[in-house]
């Protein structure tokens, strides 16, 4: 089976961050991923920086760039303009999302309120040019009533034209396998790639997880708490936990892994080495 490995970056805010990212993508390019994806701030809040990072990666990294695009708060015209630029520059892969509006940007959802609307819009305006990834939530999207509703909405994105999916990160392999089973039972067979979050800065991880609804198991929290400020032990333990998760996922048939690198090479490289992946 052809496995899919990809790495996600966010657009750096400063020149120093941009230089650091260059070093990171050079190191990770050696692993020959399918693509490097670049996040996009909802409502166009990182539009220029995301575009600049995507172009640099596409032209200089030796790997394909896959821009994220979110629809909430953006107009059709703004999205069409970006799609035109990406198409003209040889981009073939898009990660299509609804996004979450940053606080202070008002409550308007814009012309395309859900990711399925964005997927439909991309197909309508660019046909089959792009391979479209969408988000999936094995532990249920935090705004969903329940998993049934969330799976229905996920399937709507596939019916609108998505080719494959990347999941929100999670630490329970069972939630992933259960989600995939439910989607397959509904007759939908697109690849669903687990999103993997290396455990590095635990305070940040807790903050992200509370916001995005990813559950950190109690035993992980307790063990990390016992290390107090011992960062090296937290990172070593985190690496063991996430390596074990990746092994379970790949052994259980996951079609690849998408790493949330947080613009750092080493935590992802360590997982890659532990998993004995080629590169
Ligand atoms: C791999 C990945 C990458 C991400 N990258 C970014 C990024 O670059 N920028 C960013 O801002 N955010 C990003 N996010 C976060 C994402 O934008 C948020 O999780 C957001 O809250 C939901 O986006 P979505 O595309 O899943 O939305 P949707 O699929 O539209 O779902 C959002 C919510 O609405 C519900 N819903 C969907 N359709 C309907 C409908 N027709 N009627 C009623 N309810 C409906 C869903 O069940 C869900 O609860 C990413 C998430 C993942 C997993």
């Amino acid at each position: 089976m052809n496995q899919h490995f990809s790495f996600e970056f966010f657009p750096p805010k400063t020149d120093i961050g941009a230089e650091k990212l260059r070093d990171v993508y050079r190191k990770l390019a050696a692993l020959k991923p399918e693509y490097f994806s670049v996040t996009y701030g909802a409502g166009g809040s990182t539009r220029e920086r995301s575009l600049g990072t995507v172009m640099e990666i596409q032209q200089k990294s030796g790997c394909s760039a896959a821009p994220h695009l979110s629809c909430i708060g953006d107009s059709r015209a703004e999205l069409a303009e970006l799609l035109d630029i990406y198409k003209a520059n040889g981009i073939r892969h898009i990660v299509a999302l609804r996004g979450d509006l940053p606080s202070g940007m008002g409550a308007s959802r814009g012309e395309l309120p859900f990711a399925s609307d964005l997927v439909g819009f991309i197909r309508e305006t660019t046909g089959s040019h792009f391979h479209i990834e969408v988000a999936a939530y094995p532990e249920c999207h935090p705004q969903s009533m329940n998993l049934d509703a969330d799976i229905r909405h996920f399937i709507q994105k596939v019916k609108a034209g998505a080719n494959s999916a990347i999941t929100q990160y999670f630490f329970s392999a069972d939630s992933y396998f259960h989600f995939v089973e439910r989607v397959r039972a509904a007759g939908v067979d697109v690849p669903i790639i687990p999103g993997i979050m290396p455990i590095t800065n635990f305070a940040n991880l807790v903050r992200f997880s509370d916001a995005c609804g990813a559950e950190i198991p109690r035993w992980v929290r307790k063990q990390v708490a016992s290390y107090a400020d011992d960062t090296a032990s937290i990172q070593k333990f985190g690496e063991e936990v996430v390596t074990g998760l990746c092994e379970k996922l790949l052994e259980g048939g996951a079609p690849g892994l998408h790493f949330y690198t947080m613009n750092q090479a080493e935590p992802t490289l360590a997982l890659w080495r532990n998993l004995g992946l080629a590169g």
Side-chain angles (χ1 to χ4, degrees):
M1 186 178 58
N2 190 15
Q3 287 197 311
H4 307 272
F5 293 99
S6 49
F7 302 118
E8 179 172 317
F9 303 131
F10 56 83
K13 283 193 180 135
T14 61
D15 290 347
I16 293 172
E19 199 43 58
K20 194 181 146 226
L21 181 59
R22 265 171 219 127
D23 185 49
V24 171
Y25 73 60
R26 281 185 200 120
K27 286 180 177 148
L28 294 178
L31 309 181
K32 302 191 173 55
E34 188 175 351
Y35 59 84
F36 288 131
S37 82
V38 179
T39 61
Y40 180 83
S45 56
T46 66
R47 191 182 167 94
E48 296 311 319
R49 283 191 284 125
S50 293
L51 181 58
T53 307
V54 167
M55 289 308 166
E56 176 176 330
I57 286 178
Q58 177 76 359
Q59 288 157 11
K60 299 199 176 144
S61 73
C63 294
S64 302
H68 294 207
L69 201 54
S70 67
C71 53
I72 194 169
D74 268 32
S75 66
R76 280 192 170 84
E78 286 164 324
L79 293 166
E81 193 192 345
L82 269 180
L83 289 169
D84 279 349
I85 297 174
Y86 290 143
K87 201 172 161 190
N89 283 278
I91 306 276
R92 302 301 303 241
H93 220 115
I94 294 266
V95 184
L97 305 140
R98 183 197 73 178
D100 289 311
L101 279 181
S103 53
M105 283 196 72
S108 165
R109 287 176 167 253
E111 297 170 347
L112 303 167
F114 294 110
S116 53
D117 300 314
L118 176 60
V119 174
F121 178 73
I122 297 172
R123 287 288 174 243
E124 204 180 290
T125 51
T126 62
S128 58
H129 177 83
F130 292 108
H131 177 108
I132 305 178
E133 303 275 356
V134 287
Y137 301 84
E139 294 182 332
C140 198
H141 184 267
Q143 290 157 5
S144 258
M145 296 264 289
N146 53 44
L147 195 58
D148 284 351
D150 210 32
I151 288 175
R152 265 200 318 278
H153 295 140
F154 172 72
I155 291 172
Q156 222 172 322
K157 296 193 271 195
V158 176
K159 295 212 162 125
N163 303 95
S164 49
I166 304 169
T167 74
Q168 183 56 276
Y169 68 86
F170 54 85
F171 297 102
S172 146
D174 286 348
S175 68
Y176 169 80
F177 291 121
H178 177 252
F179 183 85
V180 172
E181 209 175 284
R182 293 282 312 273
V183 170
R184 300 290 178 252
V188 172
D189 64 358
V190 295
I192 300 173
I193 321 287
I196 301 299
M197 179 67 89
I199 297 177
T200 50
N201 181 323
F202 199 70
N204 280 350
L205 182 69
V206 169
R207 201 164 39 81
F208 286 148
S209 303
D210 287 346
C212 74
E215 190 160 298
I216 304 177
R218 185 170 178 275
W219 62 274
V220 172
R221 284 184 188 255
K222 285 204 83 159
Q223 188 60 29
V224 169
S226 77
Y227 294 130
D229 293 337
D230 179 356
T231 315
S233 295
I234 295 173
Q235 289 184 354
K236 183 166 173 289
F237 172 70
E239 193 183 308
E240 279 165 23
V241 169
V242 180
T243 300
L245 172 68
C246 294
E247 280 168 352
K248 248 193 211 165
L249 292 167
L250 293 174
E251 281 162 14
L257 301 169
H258 175 83
F259 293 89
Y260 295 104
T261 70
M262 308 305 285
N263 290 11
Q264 294 178 51
E266 199 39 52
T268 295
L269 285 168
L271 294 172
W272 193 272
R273 281 191 296 270
N274 295 347
L275 293 168
L277 295 168

